[in-house]
Amino acid sequence: MTFDLVTQDPHTKARAGVVHTDHGTIETPIFMPVGTAGTVKAVQQRDLKDDIQAQIILGNTYHLYLRPGLEVLSKAGGLHKFNGWDKPILTDSGGYQVYSLSGTRKIKEEGVKFRSHIDGSQHLFSPEGVMDIQRTIGADIIMAFDECTPWPCEYDYASRSLDMTHRWLKRCIQRFDSTEGHYGYSQTLFPIVQGSTFKDLRVKSAEFIAEQGREGNAIGGLSVGEPAEMMYEMTEIVCDILPQDKPRYLMGVGTPANILENIALGVDMFDCVMPTRNARNGMLFTTQGIMNISNKKWADDFEPIDAELGGYVSTFYSRAYVRHLFHSKEMLGPQIASIHNLSFYLWLVKQAREQILAGTFREWKEKMVKQVMTRL
């Protein structure tokens, strides 16, 4: 994988770049739809390509390891062949899922022992094992195995966890560099900066990660409940240390406003379940603001969901019809809403890129943060 930094905004730290992988190029800043179990929920690959115009999607190591399992994925020729997505894929390390299973896992130097949420069977995720699993899945970008600390978090715990994450990273790198990419495609390893919301720990981690000299870097452990201003403070500290010539991926973020503010701080890549999860609950993000499609005010509104956004779903279906689908509990409602919300997120980062290239990002961002978070 390589990264070309095309330009930097003159008034902020926002950047426009291009990531090159064996499965295609990715124009940054970019939002990556989350495909936890080998699918972006309720969305077909054709819609991801044609309507949403996704350039890269995520797979989830923990879920794919448990089901369908590595034997099936290997026989299929990797996740790309299994789900029919021929553009880049990024897999997380499973660290976040293990973090969220706090009641059924034990963290030790060796790795993490956990029980499957499916059948209660016991498993071990080690740094080496997680590298092998992600190799087998076949993602273009794979993540180092780390511990995602909760928020709030005691300083001593965050510090001990960080040191272990760094030791795990060394083991990840050693295993990754001693193995080959699967299925005839090269793979890239991203280390993850941790350190909770403690400035000195974030600096320590960012410096350690920068020293590893990998092709890209990630920022983890944010968007776990801390105030947005704290997230921005930590992101800025880390982005100022991570190399300029490598893409920076902020994991699990976030609202449209979060994305715009973090682009301004120098982040290139984002992912979040928010657009699809909120879509299934009837919350639609639009170019003019946020709609709760279940509200009565949309019952006889026959305007398209979002005429300005473009795309088939957002301009074909009316607000009244989508509201009717949700009230009737028809599965088409969440499908339409999911495609629409992801289309909006991809539109937002594409607009941000155009503004960065034009040198007008700062003024546009200040206006858009207010506009897209307005409740309609």
Side-chain angles (χ1 to χ4, degrees):
M1 190 207 84
T2 59
F3 177 66
D4 297 329
L5 182 58
V6 178
T7 192
Q8 184 156 328
D9 178 63
H11 308 294
T12 69
K13 296 170 184 174
R15 304 127 55 86
V18 183
V19 176
H20 302 272
T21 77
D22 283 357
H23 281 100
T25 59
I26 305 153
E27 294 187 335
T28 64
I30 193 64
F31 180 83
M32 305 179 283
V34 177
T36 303
T39 170
V40 177
K41 278 193 197 308
V43 181
Q44 294 191 65
Q45 322 307 24
R46 185 178 61 187
D47 295 324
L48 271 173
K49 266 190 177 178
D50 298 345
D51 223 20
I52 295 163
Q53 297 181 358
Q55 298 178 44
I56 174 173
I57 62 171
L58 262 69
N60 184 279
T61 294
Y62 167 86
H63 288 282
L64 292 167
Y65 162 77
L66 291 176
R67 199 164 49 192
L70 300 183
E71 187 180 349
V72 170
L73 286 168
S74 184
K75 279 184 181 175
L79 183 57
H80 287 92
K81 290 277 172 56
F82 186 59
N83 72 359
W85 178 255
D86 61 2
K87 289 175 179 283
I89 295 176
L90 180 150
T91 41
D92 64 10
S93 68
Y96 183 82
Q97 278 61 44
V98 169
Y99 145 80
S100 63
L101 293 169
S102 55
T104 58
R105 49 96 166 133
K106 288 182 180 170
I107 302 171
K108 296 185 175 177
E109 190 68 33
E110 179 190 9
V112 180
K113 286 182 179 171
F114 63 93
R115 288 191 178 277
S116 162
H117 72 287
I118 299 166
D119 60 9
S121 56
Q122 276 205 315
H123 302 269
L124 170 70
F125 269 7
S126 67
E128 295 81 4
V130 166
M131 294 300 96
D132 295 346
I133 292 165
Q134 291 184 86
R135 286 285 202 197
T136 302
I137 293 170
D140 299 88
I141 299 171
I142 76 177
M143 305 307 296
F145 190 53
D146 64 333
E147 184 191 0
C148 177
T149 50
W151 187 89
C153 180
E154 293 288 331
Y155 181 87
D156 287 349
Y157 184 89
S159 181
R160 287 196 307 274
S161 170
L162 179 65
D163 289 342
M164 185 174 68
T165 285
H166 289 172
R167 291 193 297 274
W168 282 359
L169 173 60
K170 283 294 193 183
R171 289 165 59 188
C172 286
I173 289 171
Q174 190 171 2
R175 183 57 151 247
F176 181 85
D177 288 349
S178 65
T179 54
E180 294 292 324
H182 284 32
Y183 317 115
Y185 294 97
S186 63
Q187 296 172 297
T188 296
L189 171 64
F190 278 27
I192 303 171
V193 176
Q194 289 288 351
S196 187
T197 52
F198 301 104
K199 180 178 177 181
D200 62 321
L201 296 184
R202 284 285 171 181
V203 169
K204 176 182 174 181
S205 188
E207 289 174 345
F208 182 81
I209 265 63
E211 285 168 8
Q212 307 311 308
R214 309 311 295 192
E215 290 91 352
N217 300 294
I219 306 166
L222 296 174
S223 195
V224 291
E226 80 284 353
E229 290 309 316
M230 207 171 264
M231 178 210 302
Y232 301 147
E233 182 188 354
M234 295 302 115
T235 300
E236 185 166 26
I237 287 165
V238 170
C239 283
D240 285 350
I241 295 169
L242 292 178
Q244 286 278 320
D245 60 344
K246 309 285 176 67
R248 303 168 185 145
Y249 163 32
L250 181 58
M251 306 177 76
V253 175
T255 67
N258 291 158
I259 287 173
L260 292 176
E261 296 292 2
N262 282 298
I263 287 173
L265 298 173
V267 174
D268 306 296
M269 302 167 71
F270 300 87
D271 79 287
C272 191
V273 297
M274 181 174 281
T276 44
R277 180 178 287 167
N278 287 21
R280 296 194 298 276
N281 295 316
M283 180 187 277
L284 303 185
F285 297 100
T286 78
T287 56
Q288 302 306 309
I290 299 170
M291 301 167 62
N292 180 348
I293 203 65
S294 297
N295 286 351
K296 193 167 188 336
K297 67 187 288 185
W298 311 116
D300 59 354
D301 187 332
F302 304 108
E303 290 296 311
I305 301 169
D306 191 349
E308 190 178 324
L309 187 61
Y312 172 72
V313 158
S314 306
T315 57
F316 182 82
Y317 295 106
S318 73
R319 298 162 180 181
Y321 179 63
V322 177
R323 180 183 184 273
H324 156 72
L325 293 174
F326 271 90
H327 274 257
S328 304
K329 296 190 166 39
E330 286 287 342
M331 66 175 70
L332 182 59
Q335 280 185 285
I336 290 170
S338 297
I339 295 168
H340 165 79
N341 275 359
L342 287 172
S343 299
F344 167 79
Y345 266 65
L346 268 296
W347 170 86
L348 188 67
V349 292
K350 187 178 182 182
Q351 291 292 307
R353 178 183 170 84
E354 289 175 5
Q355 297 292 332
I356 294 165
L357 292 171
T360 52
F361 174 77
R362 185 172 62 182
E363 285 180 20
W364 174 84
K365 189 264 293 183
E366 296 300 329
K367 179 189 80 170
M368 288 303 290
V369 164
K370 295 188 182 80
Q371 187 169 308
V372 298
M373 298 307 290
T374 301
R375 293 279 176 164
L376 299 176

